[in-house]
PDB file of all heavy atoms in Angstrom:
ATOM      1  N   PHE A   1       8.121   3.450   7.468  1.00 98.00           N
ATOM      2  CA  PHE A   1       7.369   4.239   6.483  1.00 98.00           C
ATOM      3  C   PHE A   1       8.039   5.570   6.116  1.00 98.00           C
ATOM      4  O   PHE A   1       8.076   5.946   4.937  1.00 98.00           O
ATOM      5  CB  PHE A   1       5.968   4.569   7.013  1.00 98.00           C
ATOM      6  CG  PHE A   1       5.024   3.404   7.138  1.00 98.00           C
ATOM      7  CD1 PHE A   1       3.755   3.588   7.691  1.00 98.00           C
ATOM      8  CD2 PHE A   1       5.378   2.127   6.714  1.00 98.00           C
ATOM      9  CE1 PHE A   1       2.866   2.530   7.809  1.00 98.00           C
ATOM     10  CE2 PHE A   1       4.493   1.060   6.836  1.00 98.00           C
ATOM     11  CZ  PHE A   1       3.234   1.269   7.389  1.00 98.00           C
ATOM     12  N   HIS A   2       8.513   6.297   7.122  1.00 98.00           N
ATOM     13  CA  HIS A   2       8.842   7.706   6.900  1.00 98.00           C
ATOM     14  C   HIS A   2       9.899   7.953   5.822  1.00 98.00           C
ATOM     15  O   HIS A   2       9.751   8.889   5.019  1.00 98.00           O
ATOM     16  CB  HIS A   2       9.243   8.383   8.208  1.00 98.00           C
ATOM     17  CG  HIS A   2       9.025   9.859   8.175  1.00 98.00           C
ATOM     18  ND1 HIS A   2      10.010  10.751   7.820  1.00 98.00           N
ATOM     19  CD2 HIS A   2       7.910  10.599   8.396  1.00 98.00           C
ATOM     20  CE1 HIS A   2       9.521  11.972   7.845  1.00 98.00           C
ATOM     21  NE2 HIS A   2       8.256  11.923   8.189  1.00 98.00           N
ATOM     22  N   PRO A   3      10.965   7.153   5.748  1.00 98.00           N
ATOM     23  CA  PRO A   3      11.948   7.393   4.689  1.00 98.00           C
ATOM     24  C   PRO A   3      11.423   7.130   3.273  1.00 98.00           C
ATOM     25  O   PRO A   3      12.060   7.518   2.289  1.00 98.00           O
ATOM     26  CB  PRO A   3      13.083   6.424   5.045  1.00 98.00           C
ATOM     27  CG  PRO A   3      12.970   6.255   6.525  1.00 98.00           C
ATOM     28  CD  PRO A   3      11.491   6.213   6.770  1.00 98.00           C
ATOM     29  N   PHE A   4      10.267   6.480   3.158  1.00 98.00           N
ATOM     30  CA  PHE A   4       9.646   6.236   1.856  1.00 98.00           C
ATOM     31  C   PHE A   4       8.513   7.225   1.566  1.00 98.00           C
ATOM     32  O   PHE A   4       7.798   7.078   0.569  1.00 98.00           O
ATOM     33  CB  PHE A   4       9.057   4.820   1.801  1.00 98.00           C
ATOM     34  CG  PHE A   4      10.067   3.707   1.774  1.00 98.00           C
ATOM     35  CD1 PHE A   4      10.565   3.182   2.958  1.00 98.00           C
ATOM     36  CD2 PHE A   4      10.509   3.159   0.575  1.00 98.00           C
ATOM     37  CE1 PHE A   4      11.480   2.127   2.948  1.00 98.00           C
ATOM     38  CE2 PHE A   4      11.425   2.115   0.545  1.00 98.00           C
ATOM     39  CZ  PHE A   4      11.915   1.599   1.737  1.00 98.00           C
ATOM     40  N   LEU A   5       8.338   8.206   2.431  1.00 98.00           N
ATOM     41  CA  LEU A   5       7.167   9.083   2.362  1.00 98.00           C
ATOM     42  C   LEU A   5       6.991   9.745   0.996  1.00 98.00           C
ATOM     43  O   LEU A   5       5.876   9.852   0.482  1.00 98.00           O
ATOM     44  CB  LEU A   5       7.271  10.151   3.457  1.00 98.00           C
ATOM     45  CG  LEU A   5       6.038  11.011   3.709  1.00 98.00           C
ATOM     46  CD1 LEU A   5       4.838  10.161   4.077  1.00 98.00           C
ATOM     47  CD2 LEU A   5       6.330  12.017   4.828  1.00 98.00           C
ATOM     48  N   ASN A   6       8.085  10.169   0.385  1.00 97.00           N
ATOM     49  CA  ASN A   6       8.005  10.865  -0.899  1.00 97.00           C
ATOM     50  C   ASN A   6       8.053   9.933  -2.103  1.00 97.00           C
ATOM     51  O   ASN A   6       7.986  10.390  -3.247  1.00 97.00           O
ATOM     52  CB  ASN A   6       9.127  11.898  -0.998  1.00 97.00           C
ATOM     53  CG  ASN A   6       8.973  13.003   0.036  1.00 97.00           C
ATOM     54  OD1 ASN A   6       7.850  13.420   0.331  1.00 97.00           O
ATOM     55  ND2 ASN A   6      10.078  13.465   0.603  1.00 97.00           N
ATOM     56  N   ASP A   7       8.170   8.637  -1.837  1.00 98.00           N
ATOM     57  CA  ASP A   7       8.145   7.640  -2.920  1.00 98.00           C
ATOM     58  C   ASP A   7       6.696   7.217  -3.157  1.00 98.00           C
ATOM     59  O   ASP A   7       6.218   6.231  -2.590  1.00 98.00           O
ATOM     60  CB  ASP A   7       9.008   6.422  -2.545  1.00 98.00           C
ATOM     61  CG  ASP A   7      10.461   6.799  -2.304  1.00 98.00           C
ATOM     62  OD1 ASP A   7      11.025   7.517  -3.145  1.00 98.00           O
ATOM     63  OD2 ASP A   7      11.022   6.378  -1.276  1.00 98.00           O
ATOM     64  N   LYS A   8       6.007   7.972  -3.974  1.00 97.00           N
ATOM     65  CA  LYS A   8       4.556   7.806  -4.108  1.00 97.00           C
ATOM     66  C   LYS A   8       4.142   6.440  -4.643  1.00 97.00           C
ATOM     67  O   LYS A   8       3.007   5.998  -4.428  1.00 97.00           O
ATOM     68  CB  LYS A   8       3.985   8.906  -5.014  1.00 97.00           C
ATOM     69  CG  LYS A   8       4.255  10.326  -4.523  1.00 97.00           C
ATOM     70  CD  LYS A   8       3.704  10.560  -3.117  1.00 97.00           C
ATOM     71  CE  LYS A   8       3.914  12.008  -2.668  1.00 97.00           C
ATOM     72  NZ  LYS A   8       3.470  12.232  -1.281  1.00 97.00           N
ATOM     73  N   SER A   9       5.042   5.741  -5.313  1.00 98.00           N
ATOM     74  CA  SER A   9       4.698   4.424  -5.853  1.00 98.00           C
ATOM     75  C   SER A   9       4.668   3.343  -4.772  1.00 98.00           C
ATOM     76  O   SER A   9       4.135   2.253  -4.982  1.00 98.00           O
ATOM     77  CB  SER A   9       5.699   4.011  -6.935  1.00 98.00           C
ATOM     78  OG  SER A   9       6.993   3.830  -6.367  1.00 98.00           O
ATOM     79  N   VAL A  10       5.247   3.659  -3.613  1.00 98.00           N
ATOM     80  CA  VAL A  10       5.334   2.676  -2.526  1.00 98.00           C
ATOM     81  C   VAL A  10       4.113   2.806  -1.628  1.00 98.00           C
ATOM     82  O   VAL A  10       3.880   3.849  -1.018  1.00 98.00           O
ATOM     83  CB  VAL A  10       6.622   2.874  -1.699  1.00 98.00           C
ATOM     84  CG1 VAL A  10       6.695   1.838  -0.576  1.00 98.00           C
ATOM     85  CG2 VAL A  10       7.850   2.792  -2.589  1.00 98.00           C
ATOM     86  N   LYS A  11       3.326   1.742  -1.546  1.00 98.00           N
ATOM     87  CA  LYS A  11       2.118   1.743  -0.710  1.00 98.00           C
ATOM     88  C   LYS A  11       2.484   1.286   0.695  1.00 98.00           C
ATOM     89  O   LYS A  11       3.244   0.341   0.880  1.00 98.00           O
ATOM     90  CB  LYS A  11       1.050   0.836  -1.318  1.00 98.00           C
ATOM     91  CG  LYS A  11       0.577   1.281  -2.694  1.00 98.00           C
ATOM     92  CD  LYS A  11      -0.432   0.301  -3.279  1.00 98.00           C
ATOM     93  CE  LYS A  11      -0.946   0.782  -4.634  1.00 98.00           C
ATOM     94  NZ  LYS A  11       0.145   0.827  -5.657  1.00 98.00           N
ATOM     95  N   MET A  12       1.901   1.952   1.686  1.00 98.00           N
ATOM     96  CA  MET A  12       2.229   1.681   3.081  1.00 98.00           C
ATOM     97  C   MET A  12       0.984   1.161   3.797  1.00 98.00           C
ATOM     98  O   MET A  12      -0.079   1.794   3.743  1.00 98.00           O
ATOM     99  CB  MET A  12       2.764   2.942   3.755  1.00 98.00           C
ATOM    100  CG  MET A  12       3.921   3.569   2.975  1.00 98.00           C
ATOM    101  SD  MET A  12       4.799   4.916   3.805  1.00 98.00           S
ATOM    102  CE  MET A  12       3.512   6.097   4.134  1.00 98.00           C
ATOM    103  N   ILE A  13       1.131   0.039   4.485  1.00 98.00           N
ATOM    104  CA  ILE A  13       0.005  -0.574   5.193  1.00 98.00           C
ATOM    105  C   ILE A  13       0.388  -0.826   6.646  1.00 98.00           C
ATOM    106  O   ILE A  13       1.342  -1.549   6.933  1.00 98.00           O
ATOM    107  CB  ILE A  13      -0.430  -1.903   4.542  1.00 98.00           C
ATOM    108  CG1 ILE A  13      -0.820  -1.686   3.079  1.00 98.00           C
ATOM    109  CG2 ILE A  13      -1.600  -2.521   5.315  1.00 98.00           C
ATOM    110  CD1 ILE A  13      -1.180  -2.976   2.344  1.00 98.00           C
ATOM    111  N   GLY A  14      -0.367  -0.228   7.555  1.00 98.00           N
ATOM    112  CA  GLY A  14      -0.188  -0.464   8.977  1.00 98.00           C
ATOM    113  C   GLY A  14      -1.231  -1.461   9.454  1.00 98.00           C
ATOM    114  O   GLY A  14      -2.420  -1.314   9.137  1.00 98.00           O
ATOM    115  N   VAL A  15      -0.794  -2.462  10.198  1.00 98.00           N
ATOM    116  CA  VAL A  15      -1.700  -3.537  10.631  1.00 98.00           C
ATOM    117  C   VAL A  15      -1.988  -3.390  12.121  1.00 98.00           C
ATOM    118  O   VAL A  15      -1.101  -3.579  12.967  1.00 98.00           O
ATOM    119  CB  VAL A  15      -1.100  -4.924  10.343  1.00 98.00           C
ATOM    120  CG1 VAL A  15      -2.103  -6.014  10.700  1.00 98.00           C
ATOM    121  CG2 VAL A  15      -0.694  -5.033   8.874  1.00 98.00           C
ATOM    122  N   GLU A  16      -3.225  -3.039  12.426  1.00 98.00           N
ATOM    123  CA  GLU A  16      -3.652  -2.894  13.811  1.00 98.00           C
ATOM    124  C   GLU A  16      -4.187  -4.214  14.362  1.00 98.00           C
ATOM    125  O   GLU A  16      -4.490  -5.145  13.615  1.00 98.00           O
ATOM    126  CB  GLU A  16      -4.743  -1.827  13.914  1.00 98.00           C
ATOM    127  CG  GLU A  16      -4.294  -0.426  13.543  1.00 98.00           C
ATOM    128  CD  GLU A  16      -5.364   0.604  13.814  1.00 98.00           C
ATOM    129  OE1 GLU A  16      -6.457   0.517  13.206  1.00 98.00           O
ATOM    130  OE2 GLU A  16      -5.128   1.497  14.642  1.00 98.00           O
ATOM    131  N   ALA A  17      -4.338  -4.252  15.691  1.00 98.00           N
ATOM    132  CA  ALA A  17      -4.842  -5.452  16.359  1.00 98.00           C
ATOM    133  C   ALA A  17      -6.368  -5.424  16.403  1.00 98.00           C
ATOM    134  O   ALA A  17      -6.954  -4.648  17.160  1.00 98.00           O
ATOM    135  CB  ALA A  17      -4.272  -5.546  17.766  1.00 98.00           C
ATOM    136  N   ALA A  18      -7.000  -6.272  15.594  1.00 98.00           N
ATOM    137  CA  ALA A  18      -8.466  -6.339  15.569  1.00 98.00           C
ATOM    138  C   ALA A  18      -9.018  -7.226  16.681  1.00 98.00           C
ATOM    139  O   ALA A  18     -10.240  -7.391  16.792  1.00 98.00           O
ATOM    140  CB  ALA A  18      -8.946  -6.835  14.207  1.00 98.00           C
ATOM    141  N   GLY A  19      -8.144  -7.794  17.502  1.00 97.00           N
ATOM    142  CA  GLY A  19      -8.578  -8.533  18.683  1.00 97.00           C
ATOM    143  C   GLY A  19      -9.552  -9.649  18.382  1.00 97.00           C
ATOM    144  O   GLY A  19      -9.281 -10.555  17.586  1.00 97.00           O
ATOM    145  N   LEU A  20     -10.717  -9.579  18.995  1.00 97.00           N
ATOM    146  CA  LEU A  20     -11.771 -10.577  18.769  1.00 97.00           C
ATOM    147  C   LEU A  20     -12.645 -10.207  17.582  1.00 97.00           C
ATOM    148  O   LEU A  20     -13.614 -10.905  17.280  1.00 97.00           O
ATOM    149  CB  LEU A  20     -12.625 -10.726  20.029  1.00 97.00           C
ATOM    150  CG  LEU A  20     -11.875 -11.120  21.306  1.00 97.00           C
ATOM    151  CD1 LEU A  20     -12.836 -11.284  22.472  1.00 97.00           C
ATOM    152  CD2 LEU A  20     -11.052 -12.379  21.107  1.00 97.00           C
ATOM    153  N   GLY A  21     -12.298  -9.114  16.905  1.00 97.00           N
ATOM    154  CA  GLY A  21     -13.062  -8.636  15.752  1.00 97.00           C
ATOM    155  C   GLY A  21     -13.530  -7.211  15.983  1.00 97.00           C
ATOM    156  O   GLY A  21     -13.951  -6.864  17.097  1.00 97.00           O
ATOM    157  N   LEU A  22     -13.448  -6.370  14.950  1.00 96.00           N
ATOM    158  CA  LEU A  22     -13.853  -4.966  15.098  1.00 96.00           C
ATOM    159  C   LEU A  22     -15.309  -4.840  15.538  1.00 96.00           C
ATOM    160  O   LEU A  22     -15.672  -3.925  16.282  1.00 96.00           O
ATOM    161  CB  LEU A  22     -13.635  -4.218  13.783  1.00 96.00           C
ATOM    162  CG  LEU A  22     -12.185  -4.045  13.318  1.00 96.00           C
ATOM    163  CD1 LEU A  22     -12.145  -3.314  11.982  1.00 96.00           C
ATOM    164  CD2 LEU A  22     -11.359  -3.289  14.353  1.00 96.00           C
ATOM    165  N   HIS A  23     -16.144  -5.767  15.099  1.00 95.00           N
ATOM    166  CA  HIS A  23     -17.573  -5.708  15.414  1.00 95.00           C
ATOM    167  C   HIS A  23     -17.862  -5.981  16.888  1.00 95.00           C
ATOM    168  O   HIS A  23     -18.929  -5.621  17.401  1.00 95.00           O
ATOM    169  CB  HIS A  23     -18.344  -6.724  14.561  1.00 95.00           C
ATOM    170  CG  HIS A  23     -17.997  -8.139  14.852  1.00 95.00           C
ATOM    171  ND1 HIS A  23     -16.823  -8.716  14.427  1.00 95.00           N
ATOM    172  CD2 HIS A  23     -18.666  -9.105  15.553  1.00 95.00           C
ATOM    173  CE1 HIS A  23     -16.775  -9.972  14.839  1.00 95.00           C
ATOM    174  NE2 HIS A  23     -17.874 -10.237  15.521  1.00 95.00           N
ATOM    175  N   THR A  24     -16.901  -6.593  17.608  1.00 96.00           N
ATOM    176  CA  THR A  24     -17.122  -6.945  19.013  1.00 96.00           C
ATOM    177  C   THR A  24     -16.817  -5.797  19.968  1.00 96.00           C
ATOM    178  O   THR A  24     -17.230  -5.825  21.135  1.00 96.00           O
ATOM    179  CB  THR A  24     -16.237  -8.140  19.423  1.00 96.00           C
ATOM    180  OG1 THR A  24     -14.854  -7.727  19.434  1.00 96.00           O
ATOM    181  CG2 THR A  24     -16.421  -9.310  18.477  1.00 96.00           C
ATOM    182  N   GLY A  25     -16.052  -4.816  19.499  1.00 94.00           N
ATOM    183  CA  GLY A  25     -15.594  -3.751  20.391  1.00 94.00           C
ATOM    184  C   GLY A  25     -14.381  -4.149  21.207  1.00 94.00           C
ATOM    185  O   GLY A  25     -13.778  -3.310  21.885  1.00 94.00           O
ATOM    186  N   LYS A  26     -13.988  -5.402  21.141  1.00 96.00           N
ATOM    187  CA  LYS A  26     -12.823  -5.894  21.897  1.00 96.00           C
ATOM    188  C   LYS A  26     -11.624  -5.968  20.955  1.00 96.00           C
ATOM    189  O   LYS A  26     -11.312  -7.021  20.399  1.00 96.00           O
ATOM    190  CB  LYS A  26     -13.132  -7.251  22.532  1.00 96.00           C
ATOM    191  CG  LYS A  26     -14.235  -7.202  23.582  1.00 96.00           C
ATOM    192  CD  LYS A  26     -14.445  -8.544  24.229  1.00 96.00           C
ATOM    193  CE  LYS A  26     -15.563  -8.499  25.261  1.00 96.00           C
ATOM    194  NZ  LYS A  26     -15.278  -7.553  26.369  1.00 96.00           N
ATOM    195  N   HIS A  27     -11.005  -4.833  20.742  1.00 97.00           N
ATOM    196  CA  HIS A  27      -9.872  -4.735  19.821  1.00 97.00           C
ATOM    197  C   HIS A  27      -8.993  -3.557  20.211  1.00 97.00           C
ATOM    198  O   HIS A  27      -9.257  -2.878  21.212  1.00 97.00           O
ATOM    199  CB  HIS A  27     -10.383  -4.575  18.379  1.00 97.00           C
ATOM    200  CG  HIS A  27     -11.215  -3.346  18.160  1.00 97.00           C
ATOM    201  ND1 HIS A  27     -10.672  -2.104  17.938  1.00 97.00           N
ATOM    202  CD2 HIS A  27     -12.564  -3.174  18.133  1.00 97.00           C
ATOM    203  CE1 HIS A  27     -11.642  -1.217  17.775  1.00 97.00           C
ATOM    204  NE2 HIS A  27     -12.800  -1.831  17.889  1.00 97.00           N
ATOM    205  N   ALA A  28      -7.945  -3.322  19.433  1.00 97.00           N
ATOM    206  CA  ALA A  28      -7.042  -2.193  19.666  1.00 97.00           C
ATOM    207  C   ALA A  28      -6.728  -1.543  18.323  1.00 97.00           C
ATOM    208  O   ALA A  28      -5.561  -1.388  17.954  1.00 97.00           O
ATOM    209  CB  ALA A  28      -5.774  -2.668  20.375  1.00 97.00           C
ATOM    210  N   ALA A  29      -7.781  -1.176  17.606  1.00 98.00           N
ATOM    211  CA  ALA A  29      -7.633  -0.674  16.240  1.00 98.00           C
ATOM    212  C   ALA A  29      -8.389   0.639  16.042  1.00 98.00           C
ATOM    213  O   ALA A  29      -9.387   0.692  15.314  1.00 98.00           O
ATOM    214  CB  ALA A  29      -8.135  -1.732  15.252  1.00 98.00           C
ATOM    215  N   PRO A  30      -7.919   1.735  16.657  1.00 97.00           N
ATOM    216  CA  PRO A  30      -8.656   3.003  16.556  1.00 97.00           C
ATOM    217  C   PRO A  30      -8.734   3.562  15.143  1.00 97.00           C
ATOM    218  O   PRO A  30      -9.740   4.175  14.773  1.00 97.00           O
ATOM    219  CB  PRO A  30      -7.875   3.936  17.485  1.00 97.00           C
ATOM    220  CG  PRO A  30      -6.501   3.334  17.578  1.00 97.00           C
ATOM    221  CD  PRO A  30      -6.725   1.856  17.506  1.00 97.00           C
ATOM    222  N   LEU A  31      -7.695   3.368  14.327  1.00 98.00           N
ATOM    223  CA  LEU A  31      -7.730   3.911  12.968  1.00 98.00           C
ATOM    224  C   LEU A  31      -8.672   3.100  12.082  1.00 98.00           C
ATOM    225  O   LEU A  31      -9.422   3.666  11.279  1.00 98.00           O
ATOM    226  CB  LEU A  31      -6.321   3.945  12.372  1.00 98.00           C
ATOM    227  CG  LEU A  31      -5.339   4.888  13.082  1.00 98.00           C
ATOM    228  CD1 LEU A  31      -3.958   4.813  12.441  1.00 98.00           C
ATOM    229  CD2 LEU A  31      -5.849   6.327  13.078  1.00 98.00           C
ATOM    230  N   SER A  32      -8.656   1.778  12.237  1.00 96.00           N
ATOM    231  CA  SER A  32      -9.588   0.944  11.481  1.00 96.00           C
ATOM    232  C   SER A  32     -11.034   1.260  11.869  1.00 96.00           C
ATOM    233  O   SER A  32     -11.934   1.219  11.036  1.00 96.00           O
ATOM    234  CB  SER A  32      -9.299  -0.544  11.745  1.00 96.00           C
ATOM    235  OG  SER A  32      -7.999  -0.891  11.311  1.00 96.00           O
ATOM    236  N   ALA A  33     -11.230   1.608  13.148  1.00 94.00           N
ATOM    237  CA  ALA A  33     -12.574   1.930  13.647  1.00 94.00           C
ATOM    238  C   ALA A  33     -12.955   3.383  13.400  1.00 94.00           C
ATOM    239  O   ALA A  33     -14.091   3.780  13.671  1.00 94.00           O
ATOM    240  CB  ALA A  33     -12.655   1.624  15.135  1.00 94.00           C
ATOM    241  N   ARG A  34     -11.999   4.194  12.907  1.00 94.00           N
ATOM    242  CA  ARG A  34     -12.231   5.619  12.612  1.00 94.00           C
ATOM    243  C   ARG A  34     -12.721   6.376  13.848  1.00 94.00           C
ATOM    244  O   ARG A  34     -13.716   7.116  13.811  1.00 94.00           O
ATOM    245  CB  ARG A  34     -13.234   5.776  11.466  1.00 94.00           C
ATOM    246  CG  ARG A  34     -12.765   5.159  10.152  1.00 94.00           C
ATOM    247  CD  ARG A  34     -11.838   6.068   9.405  1.00 94.00           C
ATOM    248  NE  ARG A  34     -11.319   5.476   8.188  1.00 94.00           N
ATOM    249  CZ  ARG A  34     -10.732   6.157   7.212  1.00 94.00           C
ATOM    250  NH1 ARG A  34     -10.588   7.469   7.317  1.00 94.00           N
ATOM    251  NH2 ARG A  34     -10.251   5.561   6.145  1.00 94.00           N
ATOM    252  N   MET A  35     -12.001   6.216  14.952  1.00 94.00           N
ATOM    253  CA  MET A  35     -12.335   6.905  16.198  1.00 94.00           C
ATOM    254  C   MET A  35     -11.156   7.793  16.597  1.00 94.00           C
ATOM    255  O   MET A  35      -9.999   7.389  16.478  1.00 94.00           O
ATOM    256  CB  MET A  35     -12.639   5.886  17.304  1.00 94.00           C
ATOM    257  CG  MET A  35     -13.798   4.961  16.981  1.00 94.00           C
ATOM    258  SD  MET A  35     -14.020   3.630  18.197  1.00 94.00           S
ATOM    259  CE  MET A  35     -14.750   4.547  19.543  1.00 94.00           C
ATOM    260  N   PHE A  36     -11.457   9.018  17.084  1.00 96.00           N
ATOM    261  CA  PHE A  36     -10.400   9.981  17.369  1.00 96.00           C
ATOM    262  C   PHE A  36     -10.669  10.725  18.682  1.00 96.00           C
ATOM    263  O   PHE A  36     -11.818  10.904  19.080  1.00 96.00           O
ATOM    264  CB  PHE A  36     -10.274  10.986  16.215  1.00 96.00           C
ATOM    265  CG  PHE A  36     -10.033  10.330  14.886  1.00 96.00           C
ATOM    266  CD1 PHE A  36     -11.088  10.035  14.031  1.00 96.00           C
ATOM    267  CD2 PHE A  36      -8.757   9.952  14.510  1.00 96.00           C
ATOM    268  CE1 PHE A  36     -10.875   9.401  12.811  1.00 96.00           C
ATOM    269  CE2 PHE A  36      -8.525   9.312  13.298  1.00 96.00           C
ATOM    270  CZ  PHE A  36      -9.594   9.043  12.452  1.00 96.00           C
ATOM    271  N   GLY A  37      -9.589  11.160  19.332  1.00 96.00           N
ATOM    272  CA  GLY A  37      -9.715  11.890  20.584  1.00 96.00           C
ATOM    273  C   GLY A  37      -8.345  12.265  21.119  1.00 96.00           C
ATOM    274  O   GLY A  37      -7.336  12.174  20.411  1.00 96.00           O
TER     275      GLY A  37
END
């Protein structure tokens, strides 16, 4: 991603591990879940 940072036309998508599903709590997707610490 970083070398394309200033290329505003380029969309960047990070794919996290949703595990058994975000709704189950059994995943590894803190950004998708909007949790911080």
Side-chain angles (χ1 to χ4, degrees):
F1 291 176
H2 204 267
F4 290 87
L5 190 58
N6 295 323
D7 300 312
K8 302 302 183 184
S9 65
V10 180
K11 298 177 178 64
M12 307 189 302
I13 302 176
V15 184
E16 296 187 298
L20 302 182
L22 294 179
H23 65 285
T24 69
K26 296 183 181 299
H27 61 82
L31 295 178
S32 298
R34 298 278 177 164
M35 300 173 75
F36 304 94

